[in-house]
Amino acid sequence: MTDTRTKILDLAESLTQTRGFNGFSYIDLAEEIGIKTASVHYYFKVKDDLAAALVERVQTTHAAGFREIEEGTSCPKKRLEAVIAYFQGYVAEAKFCLCGMMAAELQSVSPRVARLVEAYFNSFHAWLSRQFKEAGHKDAKLQALGFLSALEGSVLLARLRRDPKIVHDALKGYLKA
Amino acid sequence: MTDTRTKILDLAESLTQTRGFNGFSYIDLAEEIGIKTASVHYYFKVKDDLAAALVERVQTTHAAGFREIEEGTSCPKKRLEAVIAYFQGYVAEAKFCLCGMMAAELQSVSPRVARLVEAYFNSFHAWLSRQFKEAGHKDAKLQALGFLSALEGSVLLARLRRDPKIVHDALKGYLKA
DNA sequence: GTCTATAGAGAGATAGAC
DNA sequence: GTCTATCTCTCTATAGAC
């Protein structure tokens, strides 16, 4: 009994993560959900509005997820493990990170969406930096940058090889000590 | 005086790296080069042929580049620096890695192209593993996986922030010792 | 090898009825 | 809020002349 708007966002998110934002159309959304394209336009007047809504929703969802992880475990390295497990979930579904995808297709999205994607990664980087700082690293920001880079890249490679374990392997170096 | 086929490949490569393979059309290619779309179809009958040709050309080019690097410097860590510098060149042009882009848009390319992309990353990983082995690492394959992941991810982030230095920062950990 | 011309499908988007 | 209907444009692709 999820509402239409949520159904659209869910499906659009999934299609963006698999085919890319330019890899699906309003017809794909309408047909799968069982509505007409005019109805999709009712919720998202132009496709760019849909892109913006997708990034904003992921930003919100992940911010809440980070808070949950912080409350659930006190060990910063265990928190990083939780993040890894979450992104391995993408690989298991043959998906890439939504904002990573938008970042890849950067020149084909509007400046407005590009700014939202930038904001997402800034928040993510800041959160990771806090974890490395808590873990006692002097170069926490640099560690966080390396972790975030390897996370995005490894999800790409892991999906290509259909092996979620690759994400964990690629990030092993950041978990010891 | 480059031939038409090369002009098409050069432009298609650049457009794939900036907008994604689904982010441009035969019209974009034809107009920029100053020919008609029918001529593009003469060289690449269907768009999937173009995708395959792009990945195969990058595979060949990079294989030659790796050989050059090996001949040019005997220090494996210096070789990795050369790779980093090369990928920073992408960021300076606001581009992503071509095969990284194809890997992102994986579900929208043919199985044939997906296999070529996989082969590209397998070769890249194998070459990196040799460098880490030469540098005396026992876990060379794992190091290479971390390096490759961070390389791809950092190019994504560096372009987003318009700062090529980010690639080097993200990979610092792999260069010392 | 490049062109004109065009087919045929699919895209994003809108007006207006219900 | 969802629909029918439609507009306009763009896309991939092909046939056939030059």
Side-chain angles (χ1 to χ4, degrees):
Chain A
M1 287 300 126
T2 45
D3 62 11
T4 304
R5 192 191 145 90
T6 304
K7 277 183 194 159
I8 294 169
L9 283 171
D10 288 347
L11 182 55
E13 182 173 296
S14 177
L15 288 171
T16 302
Q17 290 182 266
T18 49
R19 302 188 206 163
F21 189 71
N22 297 318
F24 71 93
S25 69
Y26 272 32
I27 299 168
D28 295 321
L29 299 173
E31 278 186 351
E32 175 74 22
I33 294 171
I35 53 174
K36 298 293 163 180
T37 60
S39 300
V40 183
H41 278 283
Y42 169 79
Y43 292 101
F44 305 99
K45 206 158 187 344
V46 297
K47 208 184 174 191
D48 192 63
D49 292 340
L50 176 58
L54 284 172
V55 178
E56 276 170 346
R57 192 174 73 149
V58 155
Q59 167 81 278
T60 307
T61 307
H62 285 201
F66 289 145
R67 245 174 282 125
E68 245 182 75
I69 289 172
E70 273 179 316
E71 286 160 11
T73 101
S74 56
C75 167
K77 292 286 162 109
K78 284 252 190 311
R79 290 176 186 160
L80 296 180
E81 289 265 25
V83 172
I84 291 172
Y86 186 80
F87 276 76
Q88 279 183 324
Y90 289 158
V91 177
E93 292 183 289
K95 290 174 182 172
F96 185 36
C97 162
L98 182 120
C99 288
M101 186 68 84
M102 297 275 193
E105 295 175 309
L106 195 66
Q107 272 87 332
S108 75
V109 303
S110 68
R112 163 202 182 200
V113 172
R115 272 192 298 274
L116 290 171
V117 173
E118 233 186 305
Y120 168 86
F121 280 114
N122 285 342
S123 301
F124 200 163
H125 185 207
W127 186 85
L128 289 170
S129 295
R130 283 197 296 278
Q131 307 316 312
F132 280 106
K133 202 176 172 187
E134 259 192 58
H137 284 273
K138 265 172 275 178
D139 55 350
K141 273 189 179 174
L142 208 65
Q143 289 282 317
L145 176 67
F147 184 95
L148 183 54
S149 297
L151 181 66
E152 291 293 324
S154 66
V155 170
L156 216 56
L157 296 173
R159 180 174 62 140
L160 189 65
R161 297 206 199 157
R162 296 163 299 277
D163 180 7
K165 208 169 108 353
I166 285 178
V167 178
H168 194 269
D169 286 347
L171 291 162
K172 256 190 187 132
Y174 293 95
L175 296 175
K176 50 193 167 197
Chain B
M1 286 307 121
T2 44
D3 63 10
T4 305
R5 193 191 142 89
T6 306
K7 277 183 194 160
I8 294 169
L9 283 171
D10 288 346
L11 182 55
E13 182 173 297
S14 176
L15 287 171
T16 302
Q17 291 182 265
T18 49
R19 301 187 206 164
F21 189 71
N22 296 318
F24 71 93
S25 69
Y26 272 33
I27 299 168
D28 295 321
L29 298 173
E31 278 186 352
E32 175 75 22
I33 294 171
I35 54 175
K36 298 293 163 182
T37 60
S39 300
V40 183
H41 277 284
Y42 170 78
Y43 291 101
F44 305 99
K45 207 159 186 344
V46 297
K47 208 185 174 190
D48 192 64
D49 292 340
L50 176 58
L54 284 173
V55 178
E56 275 170 347
R57 192 174 71 148
V58 154
Q59 168 82 279
T60 307
T61 307
H62 284 200
F66 289 146
R67 246 175 281 125
E68 245 181 74
I69 289 172
E70 273 178 317
E71 287 160 12
T73 100
S74 56
C75 167
K77 292 287 163 109
K78 285 253 191 306
R79 289 176 187 160
L80 296 180
E81 290 264 26
V83 172
I84 291 171
Y86 186 79
F87 276 75
Q88 279 182 325
Y90 289 157
V91 178
E93 291 181 290
K95 290 175 181 170
F96 185 36
C97 162
L98 182 119
C99 288
M101 185 70 83
M102 297 274 194
E105 295 175 309
L106 195 66
Q107 271 87 333
S108 74
V109 304
S110 68
R112 164 201 182 202
V113 172
R115 272 192 298 272
L116 289 171
V117 173
E118 234 186 304
Y120 167 85
F121 280 115
N122 284 343
S123 301
F124 200 165
H125 185 207
W127 186 85
L128 289 171
S129 296
R130 283 197 296 277
Q131 307 316 311
F132 281 106
K133 201 176 173 189
E134 259 193 56
H137 284 273
K138 264 170 277 178
D139 54 351
K141 273 191 180 174
L142 208 63
Q143 289 282 318
L145 176 66
F147 184 95
L148 183 53
S149 298
L151 183 65
E152 290 293 324
S154 66
V155 169
L156 216 57
L157 296 174
R159 180 174 63 141
L160 190 64
R161 298 205 196 158
R162 298 163 298 279
D163 180 7
K165 210 170 105 0
I166 285 176
V167 178
H168 194 270
D169 286 347
L171 291 163
K172 258 192 186 130
Y174 293 95
L175 297 175
K176 49 193 170 198

